[in-house]
Amino acid sequence: MTLYFDHLVHQVESPENIKVFFNKRNVHTVNGGQHTMWGTYNTLSYFGLSYIEQIAIYDRDLFEQAAQYPYSLHYTFKRDQERQGFSRIALRTKKIEEEGQRLRALGYDVYGPDACSRTRPDGTVVKWKLLHFGKPDLLIDFPFLIEWAEEDEERLSQLVTSGAIDTKQAITMESIQLYVKDIRRTVRLWQEVLQLPEPVQHEQFISLQLPNIRLDFYEEEVAVAMTLGHIKEGPFGVTLKDPHRTKETLVCPGAFYWINR
Protein backbone atom coordinates (compact mmCIF):
# COMPACT_ATOMS: atom_id res chain seq x y z
CA MET A 1 0.00 0.00 0.00
CA THR A 2 1.67 3.19 -1.21
CA LEU A 3 1.99 6.16 1.11
CA TYR A 4 2.43 9.70 -0.25
CA PHE A 5 3.77 12.74 1.53
CA ASP A 6 0.84 15.00 2.47
CA HIS A 7 2.07 17.80 4.71
CA LEU A 8 4.66 19.05 7.17
CA VAL A 9 3.48 20.61 10.43
CA HIS A 10 5.07 23.86 11.61
CA GLN A 11 4.18 24.91 15.16
CA VAL A 12 4.14 28.71 15.34
CA GLU A 13 3.15 31.44 17.77
CA SER A 14 1.01 33.30 15.24
CA PRO A 15 -0.23 31.84 11.94
CA GLU A 16 -1.34 35.35 10.96
CA ASN A 17 2.21 36.71 11.28
CA ILE A 18 3.76 33.77 9.48
CA LYS A 19 1.29 34.27 6.63
CA VAL A 20 2.44 37.88 6.22
CA PHE A 21 6.10 36.82 6.47
CA PHE A 22 5.81 34.21 3.71
CA ASN A 23 3.61 36.19 1.36
CA LYS A 24 6.09 39.10 1.46
CA ARG A 25 8.71 36.57 0.34
CA ASN A 26 6.56 35.18 -2.48
CA VAL A 27 5.66 31.90 -0.78
CA HIS A 28 1.88 31.84 -1.26
CA THR A 29 0.20 31.25 2.13
CA VAL A 30 -3.52 31.39 2.96
CA ASN A 31 -5.79 31.16 5.99
CA GLY A 32 -6.79 27.58 6.76
CA GLY A 33 -9.39 27.63 9.52
CA GLN A 34 -10.18 26.24 12.94
CA HIS A 35 -10.00 22.69 14.26
CA THR A 36 -12.88 23.07 16.70
CA MET A 37 -12.28 19.63 18.22
CA TRP A 38 -8.64 20.45 19.11
CA GLY A 39 -8.63 24.16 19.83
CA THR A 40 -6.12 24.92 17.07
CA TYR A 41 -6.12 26.99 13.89
CA ASN A 42 -3.79 27.30 10.92
CA THR A 43 -2.48 28.90 7.79
CA LEU A 44 -1.35 26.82 4.82
CA SER A 45 1.35 27.01 2.15
CA TYR A 46 0.42 24.74 -0.78
CA PHE A 47 2.79 23.35 -3.39
CA GLY A 48 0.35 21.28 -5.41
CA LEU A 49 -1.30 18.82 -3.02
CA SER A 50 1.77 18.88 -0.77
CA TYR A 51 1.72 21.63 1.80
CA ILE A 52 3.15 23.08 5.00
CA GLU A 53 0.72 23.75 7.83
CA GLN A 54 1.50 26.58 10.25
CA ILE A 55 -0.55 25.86 13.37
CA ALA A 56 -1.20 27.43 16.79
CA ILE A 57 -3.56 27.13 19.77
CA TYR A 58 -6.68 29.29 20.13
CA ASP A 59 -8.48 27.35 22.91
CA ARG A 60 -6.26 26.09 25.72
CA ASP A 61 -8.82 23.72 27.29
CA LEU A 62 -9.61 21.98 24.01
CA PHE A 63 -5.92 21.66 23.20
CA GLU A 64 -5.11 20.13 26.61
CA GLN A 65 -7.79 17.50 26.04
CA ALA A 66 -6.45 16.73 22.55
CA ALA A 67 -2.88 16.48 23.89
CA GLN A 68 -3.86 13.40 25.92
CA TYR A 69 -4.35 11.38 22.70
CA PRO A 70 -1.22 9.18 22.29
CA TYR A 71 1.08 9.79 19.29
CA SER A 72 -1.06 12.67 18.04
CA LEU A 73 0.32 15.98 16.82
CA HIS A 74 -0.96 17.67 19.98
CA TYR A 75 0.59 14.97 22.19
CA THR A 76 3.97 15.61 20.53
CA PHE A 77 3.65 19.40 20.87
CA LYS A 78 2.81 19.12 24.57
CA ARG A 79 5.60 16.61 25.23
CA ASP A 80 8.09 18.98 23.59
CA GLN A 81 7.10 21.84 25.94
CA GLU A 82 5.19 23.51 23.07
CA ARG A 83 8.42 24.25 21.24
CA GLN A 84 7.99 26.23 18.03
CA GLY A 85 9.30 24.76 14.81
CA PHE A 86 8.72 21.81 12.54
CA SER A 87 6.98 19.05 14.45
CA ARG A 88 5.45 16.15 12.50
CA ILE A 89 4.97 14.73 9.00
CA ALA A 90 1.66 13.44 7.64
CA LEU A 91 1.47 10.77 4.93
CA ARG A 92 -1.54 10.36 2.67
CA THR A 93 -3.24 7.03 1.98
CA LYS A 94 -6.39 5.84 0.26
CA LYS A 95 -6.65 2.75 2.50
CA ILE A 96 -6.33 4.00 6.06
CA GLU A 97 -8.35 1.14 7.59
CA GLU A 98 -6.07 -1.44 5.97
CA GLU A 99 -3.01 0.48 7.10
CA GLY A 100 -4.29 0.38 10.66
CA GLN A 101 -4.71 -3.39 10.48
CA ARG A 102 -1.21 -3.80 9.01
CA LEU A 103 0.41 -1.67 11.72
CA ARG A 104 -1.44 -3.51 14.50
CA ALA A 105 -0.18 -6.79 13.05
CA LEU A 106 3.37 -5.39 13.29
CA GLY A 107 2.83 -4.82 17.02
CA TYR A 108 2.32 -1.06 17.09
CA ASP A 109 -0.13 0.85 19.25
CA VAL A 110 -2.70 2.19 16.77
CA TYR A 111 -5.26 4.91 17.46
CA GLY A 112 -7.95 5.54 14.87
CA PRO A 113 -8.83 6.08 12.15
CA ASP A 114 -10.73 9.04 13.58
CA ALA A 115 -13.08 11.30 11.63
CA CYS A 116 -11.86 14.93 11.67
CA SER A 117 -12.89 18.25 10.15
CA ARG A 118 -11.88 21.88 9.81
CA THR A 119 -14.08 24.88 9.08
CA ARG A 120 -12.67 27.14 6.36
CA PRO A 121 -12.94 30.93 6.64
CA ASP A 122 -15.81 30.84 4.11
CA GLY A 123 -17.78 28.43 6.34
CA THR A 124 -17.28 25.28 4.28
CA VAL A 125 -16.06 22.17 6.06
CA VAL A 126 -13.09 19.99 5.09
CA LYS A 127 -13.24 16.35 6.24
CA TRP A 128 -10.62 13.64 6.64
CA LYS A 129 -9.59 10.64 8.75
CA LEU A 130 -6.46 10.41 10.90
CA LEU A 131 -4.52 7.44 12.21
CA HIS A 132 -1.73 7.67 14.80
CA PHE A 133 0.63 4.86 15.76
CA GLY A 134 3.83 4.19 17.62
CA LYS A 135 5.52 2.58 20.60
CA PRO A 136 6.56 4.19 23.89
CA ASP A 137 10.31 3.66 23.34
CA LEU A 138 10.64 5.17 19.86
CA LEU A 139 13.41 7.72 19.34
CA ILE A 140 11.22 10.05 17.24
CA ASP A 141 7.56 9.93 16.30
CA PHE A 142 6.50 8.19 13.12
CA PRO A 143 4.51 10.19 10.60
CA PHE A 144 0.77 10.06 11.17
CA LEU A 145 -1.57 8.95 8.39
CA ILE A 146 -4.36 10.89 6.73
CA GLU A 147 -7.12 9.96 4.29
CA TRP A 148 -9.06 12.83 2.72
CA ALA A 149 -12.77 12.55 2.02
CA GLU A 150 -12.36 13.77 -1.57
CA GLU A 151 -10.26 12.26 -4.34
CA ASP A 152 -6.97 13.97 -5.15
CA GLU A 153 -8.24 15.46 -8.41
CA GLU A 154 -11.28 16.96 -6.68
CA ARG A 155 -9.18 18.42 -3.86
CA LEU A 156 -6.71 19.92 -6.31
CA SER A 157 -9.52 21.56 -8.28
CA GLN A 158 -11.09 22.96 -5.09
CA LEU A 159 -7.77 24.33 -3.86
CA VAL A 160 -7.10 26.08 -7.17
CA THR A 161 -10.64 27.49 -7.34
CA SER A 162 -10.48 28.81 -3.76
CA GLY A 163 -7.11 30.45 -4.33
CA ALA A 164 -5.30 28.24 -1.81
CA ILE A 165 -3.06 27.11 -4.67
CA ASP A 166 -1.53 29.92 -6.71
CA THR A 167 -1.19 28.52 -10.23
CA LYS A 168 1.37 31.22 -11.08
CA GLN A 169 3.69 29.99 -8.31
CA ALA A 170 6.17 27.35 -9.49
CA ILE A 171 7.58 26.28 -6.09
CA THR A 172 7.83 22.56 -5.34
CA MET A 173 8.77 20.68 -2.17
CA GLU A 174 11.88 18.60 -2.79
CA SER A 175 12.97 17.16 0.57
CA ILE A 176 12.56 17.34 4.35
CA GLN A 177 15.56 17.31 6.69
CA LEU A 178 15.39 15.37 9.96
CA TYR A 179 17.87 15.01 12.81
CA VAL A 180 18.02 11.67 14.64
CA LYS A 181 20.47 10.40 17.24
CA ASP A 182 20.53 6.81 15.97
CA ILE A 183 20.35 7.42 12.25
CA ARG A 184 20.79 3.89 10.91
CA ARG A 185 18.30 2.33 13.30
CA THR A 186 15.70 5.04 12.61
CA VAL A 187 16.11 4.98 8.84
CA ARG A 188 15.83 1.20 8.71
CA LEU A 189 12.77 1.23 10.96
CA TRP A 190 10.97 3.88 8.88
CA GLN A 191 11.91 2.09 5.66
CA GLU A 192 10.44 -1.19 6.86
CA VAL A 193 7.32 0.14 8.61
CA LEU A 194 6.40 2.64 5.86
CA GLN A 195 7.26 0.12 3.12
CA LEU A 196 9.70 2.40 1.31
CA PRO A 197 12.55 1.56 -1.10
CA GLU A 198 16.02 0.87 0.26
CA PRO A 199 17.72 3.91 1.84
CA VAL A 200 20.40 5.77 -0.10
CA GLN A 201 23.69 6.82 1.52
CA HIS A 202 24.83 10.35 0.64
CA GLU A 203 27.96 12.15 1.79
CA GLN A 204 26.28 13.91 4.71
CA PHE A 205 22.93 12.14 5.13
CA ILE A 206 20.88 9.01 4.45
CA SER A 207 17.68 9.41 2.46
CA LEU A 208 14.38 7.58 2.09
CA GLN A 209 12.28 8.20 -1.01
CA LEU A 210 8.51 8.62 -0.92
CA PRO A 211 6.76 8.80 -4.32
CA ASN A 212 6.56 12.60 -4.11
CA ILE A 213 9.32 13.75 -1.73
CA ARG A 214 12.64 12.71 -0.19
CA LEU A 215 13.31 12.39 3.55
CA ASP A 216 16.91 13.22 4.50
CA PHE A 217 18.19 11.98 7.87
CA TYR A 218 21.19 13.72 9.45
CA GLU A 219 23.44 12.96 12.40
CA GLU A 220 23.99 15.57 15.08
CA GLU A 221 27.25 17.18 13.91
CA VAL A 222 25.98 18.08 10.45
CA ALA A 223 22.50 19.05 11.64
CA VAL A 224 23.91 21.38 14.29
CA ALA A 225 26.08 23.10 11.67
CA MET A 226 23.08 23.55 9.37
CA THR A 227 20.89 25.05 12.09
CA LEU A 228 23.47 26.99 14.13
CA GLY A 229 22.73 24.72 17.06
CA HIS A 230 18.96 25.26 17.24
CA ILE A 231 17.90 21.65 16.99
CA LYS A 232 15.96 18.78 18.48
CA GLU A 233 15.21 15.31 17.14
CA GLY A 234 12.74 15.30 14.29
CA PRO A 235 12.24 17.52 11.22
CA PHE A 236 14.18 20.80 11.18
CA GLY A 237 14.21 21.91 7.55
CA VAL A 238 12.49 21.76 4.17
CA THR A 239 14.04 22.24 0.74
CA LEU A 240 11.93 24.09 -1.82
CA LYS A 241 12.69 24.53 -5.51
CA ASP A 242 11.71 27.74 -7.31
CA PRO A 243 12.90 28.30 -10.91
CA HIS A 244 12.05 32.01 -10.65
CA ARG A 245 14.52 32.98 -7.93
CA THR A 246 18.04 32.43 -6.70
CA LYS A 247 19.14 30.69 -3.50
CA GLU A 248 17.41 31.97 -0.36
CA THR A 249 16.90 30.82 3.24
CA LEU A 250 13.83 31.71 5.30
CA VAL A 251 14.49 31.20 9.02
CA CYS A 252 11.82 30.74 11.68
CA PRO A 253 12.25 29.47 15.25
CA GLY A 254 13.01 25.75 14.90
CA ALA A 255 12.34 25.70 11.15
CA PHE A 256 14.51 26.40 8.11
CA TYR A 257 13.04 26.88 4.64
CA TRP A 258 15.85 26.40 2.10
CA ILE A 259 14.94 27.63 -1.39
CA ASN A 260 17.13 26.25 -4.21
CA ARG A 261 19.58 24.88 -1.65
Side-chain angles (χ1 to χ4, degrees), residues 131-149:
L131 184 145
H132 303 87
F133 70 99
K135 287 182 179 178
D137 61 345
L138 288 178
L139 298 176
I140 66 172
D141 295 309
F142 278 114
F144 58 93
L145 305 185
I146 186 168
E147 182 177 326
W148 296 95

Side-chain angles (χ1 to χ4, degrees), residues 6-18:
D6 192 73
H7 66 276
L8 172 63
V9 180
H10 183 179
Q11 303 281 356
V12 298
E13 183 177 359
S14 169
E16 298 92 340
N17 289 346
I18 213 81

Side-chain angles (χ1 to χ4, degrees), residues 1-48:
M1 286 180 278
T2 303
L3 297 171
Y4 288 81
F5 171 77
D6 192 73
H7 66 276
L8 172 63
V9 180
H10 183 179
Q11 303 281 356
V12 298
E13 183 177 359
S14 169
E16 298 92 340
N17 289 346
I18 213 81
K19 176 188 171 186
V20 172
F21 175 79
F22 284 132
N23 281 326
K24 283 184 176 180
R25 289 152 183 83
N26 298 314
V27 177
H28 183 64
T29 302
V30 298
N31 291 331
Q34 291 187 341
H35 309 105
T36 54
M37 74 290 278
W38 302 324
T40 55
Y41 71 113
N42 61 16
T43 54
L44 307 165
S45 304
Y46 279 97
F47 313 96

Side-chain angles (χ1 to χ4, degrees), residues 113-258:
D114 299 305
C116 305
S117 65
R118 168 173 60 82
T119 304
R120 296 189 181 104
D122 65 4
T124 59
V125 178
V126 188
K127 296 182 179 180
W128 66 92
K129 293 179 181 178
L130 287 183
L131 184 145
H132 303 87
F133 70 99
K135 287 182 179 178
D137 61 345
L138 288 178
L139 298 176
I140 66 172
D141 295 309
F142 278 114
F144 58 93
L145 305 185
I146 186 168
E147 182 177 326
W148 296 95
E150 296 88 5
E151 293 296 321
D152 289 353
E153 297 78 8
E154 182 181 357
R155 288 184 58 234
L156 187 63
S157 176
Q158 291 175 351
L159 292 167
V160 170
T161 300
S162 69
I165 292 178
D166 182 357
T167 56
K168 297 187 293 293
Q169 177 178 272
I171 304 175
T172 55
M173 294 183 71
E174 298 293 304
S175 61
I176 295 171
Q177 291 73 46
L178 303 98
Y179 157 57
V180 290
K181 291 180 180 177
D182 192 335
I183 187 170
R184 297 194 180 279
R185 176 188 169 193
T186 302
V187 168
R188 180 57 65 184
L189 184 62
W190 281 39
Q191 184 260 326
E192 292 174 350
V193 173
L194 302 177
Q195 299 182 312
L196 302 178
E198 285 293 314
V200 177
Q201 177 72 61
H202 302 264
E203 183 177 353
Q204 293 189 316
F205 61 90
I206 301 175
S207 67
L208 289 173
Q209 186 68 53
L210 287 156
N212 57 341
I213 206 167
R214 194 179 73 236
L215 304 178
D216 299 336
F217 295 81
Y218 288 81
E219 293 181 320
E220 184 172 12
E221 182 178 357
V222 178
V224 166
M226 293 171 68
T227 62
L228 306 177
H230 301 285
I231 195 167
K232 72 172 184 65
E233 283 197 280
F236 64 86
V238 60
T239 302
L240 306 173
K241 184 176 181 181
D242 185 351
H244 300 315
R245 73 172 95 187
T246 57
K247 184 183 292 186
E248 185 177 357
T249 302
L250 306 180
V251 181
C252 304
F256 288 75
Y257 290 68
W258 285 293

